[in-house]
Amino acid sequence: MSETTELAAETLHLQRTARVVGDPRILIIDDEAAIRESLDTLLTLEGFTVSAASDGPSGLELLSRNEFDLLLLDLALPGESGLDLLPRIVEMQPNLPVIMITAYGTVGNVVDAIRAGAENFVQKPWDNEKLLADIRAAVARHRAEEEVVQLKRTLKQRYNFENIVGKSEPMLRLFDLIAQVSPSRSTILIQGESGTGKELIAKAIHANSPRKDRPFVPVNTGAVPSELLESTLFGHVKGAFTSAVTAKKGLFEVANGGTLFLDEIGTMGMDMQAKILRVLQDRRFMHLGGVQEIQVDVRIIAATNVNLHDAVRAGRFREDLFYRLNVISLELPPLRSRREDIPLLAAHFLKFYADENGTEIRSLSPEAMRIIMDYEWPGNVRELENAMERGVVLSTSRTISPDLLPTQLTGSTYSASLLDHQPNASLFDLMEEIERRIISDRLERCHWNQTEAAEYFKIPLSTLNQKIKRLNVEVKKRTRD
């Protein structure tokens, strides 16, 4: 790459950074002076920074030297038409939203423009409010996507955290702390609610450590039956138990030289806690049924969604193990305490699942965005990801509307439909039916895993089972473990 090309690329990068934090910039390409002036006045009054060109070549020249948030492109230009220009525009700035404007719109033109990469199609004379609404939505989506791209670029260059999205103050502090502790070999305890991304953080620590070229081995200790957990972690010799027809390595051996991630360690039984403590102290263990000690070099990263201080006081967790694990503690903030990250995360997940499903979902409608910003997100980032995936799969347009969001987000969906279909029902009956539907909906989303559903509702499994029986909730066979 020549020095001139490098300078141009760096200039565009700086412009992009400045644009994301400054006024949105819009480019108009239209051969009619009156149209350009009218749009310039309308958009300037709304706080946009406007540039304009009267033909394709001068418009492409502006695009080559500047970054914009949106392009308003006339279909009927002198020389090359707007449709002819679209492929070159997409090549120059692939993520730039383009709204086509024409006085001669046909179904064929609309289809061709959308296929070529246009965001929308507006016919002259337009309705100012509708046009402004379309422009605001497209600019908001584009800016969110650009922030995600820039954030990933910065974090990847600085920390290799490309899969973790967040610009809030708690997350920035967490990023700095991760970068500080990753090079050490110290044991780390990650604490946070379910769905906050504890495994992602553990992977980021491993990826930034001297062990990055060695295995990262995750194990959900809460999902492995207690009678199998010892064999899973430490391995066994042939004949150690009835089904042990061959010897098997445990995950401590598999992770030798690397990192072992023990998720949900707060659910581990006291006997297993004692064995984990010994490995942390001596870096030695024995296979189940074996007599020979095995030495390993493994860094332990543990995670929990329960308060281990309380578990220690209640006698459910060993105090000595807690202090061994809690050498360095990282607290992951719940999503409700970093709401400024919600649009970034939503844009990240929309793009990921749109690419995965081969669709062109671009954004959330303004009302859908309001709903996700107001929701408390008890399931945190995982729940937001599931909501965006659902919207992408169910959407038949480029925008996700409120009706495509999960019912627990919209709130009124249950009660409104019940009042329509049961106008004479008592309040007690209505509340029971709402509770029945909410439980049934969550069970379906958890693939009928009642333990996971109880954890989501933050109630004991026995309480959930009682509600299922009392409300006659139909429970299907689990579809996955």
Side-chain angles (χ1 to χ4, degrees):
M1 184 182 291
S2 69
E3 185 176 343
T4 304
T5 306
E6 288 181 355
L7 180 60
E10 180 63 22
T11 300
L12 284 177
H13 171 66
L14 292 172
Q15 289 175 347
R16 181 182 291 116
T17 303
R19 190 190 73 254
V20 169
V21 297
D23 290 336
R25 297 192 62 189
I26 295 180
L27 174 62
I28 303 165
I29 304 178
D30 197 298
D31 63 321
E32 295 184 55
I35 295 294
R36 295 196 303 274
E37 291 170 9
S38 175
L39 287 170
D40 191 329
T41 301
L42 175 67
L43 296 171
T44 301
L45 289 173
E46 289 295 315
F48 296 104
T49 299
V50 180
S51 300
S54 59
D55 55 39
S58 47
L60 293 176
E61 174 64 21
L62 285 171
L63 278 171
S64 69
R65 292 187 284 105
N66 302 276
E67 286 279 336
F68 295 94
D69 291 285
L70 182 121
L71 169 61
L72 293 171
L73 177 63
D74 187 21
L75 180 66
L77 291 171
E80 290 184 287
S81 71
L83 276 178
D84 295 330
L85 291 175
L86 256 181
R88 293 160 66 187
I89 292 168
V90 170
E91 184 179 352
M92 293 172 72
Q93 295 192 27
N95 297 319
L96 178 66
V98 178
I99 295 180
M100 302 290 293
I101 300 179
T102 182
Y104 311 103
T106 67
V107 172
N109 285 338
V110 172
V111 171
D112 290 342
I114 297 298
R115 283 178 176 171
E119 173 93 6
N120 208 338
F121 206 98
V122 176
Q123 191 155 353
K124 302 174 186 177
W126 57 80
D127 177 88
N128 281 349
E129 287 305 314
K130 184 179 184 309
L131 178 61
L132 286 172
D134 289 342
I135 289 172
R136 291 190 197 103
V139 167
R141 187 267 303 167
H142 184 240
R143 287 203 150 197
E145 287 183 352
E146 285 291 298
E147 283 196 73
V148 170
V149 169
Q150 289 179 46
L151 186 65
K152 284 185 175 183
R153 180 186 295 116
T154 301
L155 293 175
K156 186 173 183 180
Q157 290 172 348
R158 189 174 176 187
Y159 303 129
N160 192 27
F161 293 170
E162 62 179 325
N163 290 320
I164 308 172
V165 175
K167 64 172 183 177
S168 60
E169 191 59 37
M171 290 303 291
L172 293 178
R173 288 197 302 269
L174 182 63
F175 291 146
D176 285 335
L177 188 56
I178 292 170
Q180 185 176 350
V181 304
S182 292
S184 74
R185 62 174 295 166
S186 298
T187 301
I188 293 177
L189 179 63
I190 304 174
Q191 301 183 82
E193 295 179 9
S194 292
T196 48
K198 294 185 285 295
E199 185 170 343
L200 272 180
I201 297 299
K203 287 179 178 177
I205 293 170
H206 175 76
N208 285 272
S209 76
R211 301 170 180 263
K212 63 184 178 181
D213 295 324
R214 303 296 295 165
F216 173 86
V217 180
V219 55
N220 185 331
T221 60
V224 180
S226 56
E227 62 272 16
L228 296 179
L229 186 56
E230 182 176 359
S231 172
T232 300
L233 292 176
F234 302 124
H236 60 256
V237 299
K238 181 179 178 180
F241 46 88
T242 305
S243 59
V245 294
T246 60
K248 179 184 175 183
K249 284 186 177 182
L251 295 182
F252 269 96
E253 286 176 276
V254 174
N256 193 23
T259 302
L260 181 63
F261 175 57
L262 300 175
D263 199 6
E264 292 191 24
I265 198 165
T267 64
M268 190 178 287
M270 298 295 280
D271 288 346
M272 184 55 62
Q273 290 178 33
K275 292 179 171 65
I276 295 295
L277 177 63
R278 182 168 184 267
V279 179
L280 286 173
Q281 290 173 332
D282 303 334
R283 310 240 169 225
R284 296 173 181 272
F285 67 93
M286 287 190 292
H287 288 149
L288 181 61
V291 294
Q292 184 177 354
E293 284 195 328
I294 299 166
Q295 186 165 0
V296 288
D297 172 23
V298 175
R299 184 186 199 174
I300 300 293
I301 300 178
T304 179
N305 59 8
V306 301
N307 188 313
L308 290 187
H309 283 287
D310 293 343
V312 168
R313 283 194 290 268
R316 296 191 307 271
F317 202 84
R318 294 180 62 111
E319 185 175 25
D320 46 6
L321 177 59
F322 171 69
Y323 288 121
R324 277 283 178 181
L325 292 172
N326 199 37
V327 176
I328 297 171
S329 181
L330 302 180
E331 291 278 350
L332 267 64
L335 188 55
R336 61 184 173 276
S337 70
R338 53 181 186 110
R339 292 187 182 275
E340 59 266 52
D341 291 335
I342 292 175
L344 288 178
L345 287 160
H348 169 70
F349 292 132
L350 283 179
K351 185 177 187 310
F352 177 84
Y353 286 108
D355 291 345
E356 188 175 78
N357 288 277
T359 61
E360 295 192 9
I361 308 300
R362 294 299 186 104
S363 61
L364 293 155
S365 71
E367 179 62 16
M369 179 62 76
R370 184 193 66 76
I371 289 171
I372 71 167
M373 291 299 293
D374 290 344
Y375 185 59
E376 287 299 302
W377 297 108
N380 293 293
V381 177
R382 185 187 298 130
E383 186 181 11
L384 175 61
E385 178 179 3
N386 291 343
M388 295 302 99
E389 181 182 9
R390 180 182 191 272
V392 168
V393 171
L394 297 180
S395 180
T396 57
S397 68
R398 289 183 154 207
T399 302
I400 292 178
S401 53
D403 61 296
L404 297 178
L405 296 174
T407 48
Q408 68 265 28
L409 272 68
T410 54
S412 62
T413 305
Y414 290 120
S415 55
S417 63
L418 285 172
L419 289 172
D420 289 341
H421 293 93
Q422 302 182 38
N424 299 318
S426 68
L427 178 61
F428 179 78
D429 290 337
L430 287 172
M431 294 304 294
E432 276 207 337
E433 181 60 25
I434 289 172
E435 189 175 14
R436 182 182 296 111
R437 293 190 185 189
I438 290 173
I439 291 173
S440 181
D441 179 75
R442 176 47 48 185
L443 284 169
E444 185 175 358
R445 293 177 189 282
C446 294
H447 301 274
W448 309 101
N449 185 325
Q450 294 179 41
T451 301
E452 188 176 336
E455 190 177 290
Y456 173 85
F457 289 128
K458 301 187 186 308
I459 60 175
L461 179 58
S462 59
T463 302
L464 177 61
N465 286 329
Q466 290 169 9
K467 288 179 178 290
I468 289 172
K469 291 177 182 177
R470 177 173 60 83
L471 298 168
N472 293 318
V473 176
E474 181 185 1
V475 178
K476 299 180 182 180
K477 186 177 180 181
R478 283 173 58 175
T479 55
R480 66 168 170 83
D481 292 329

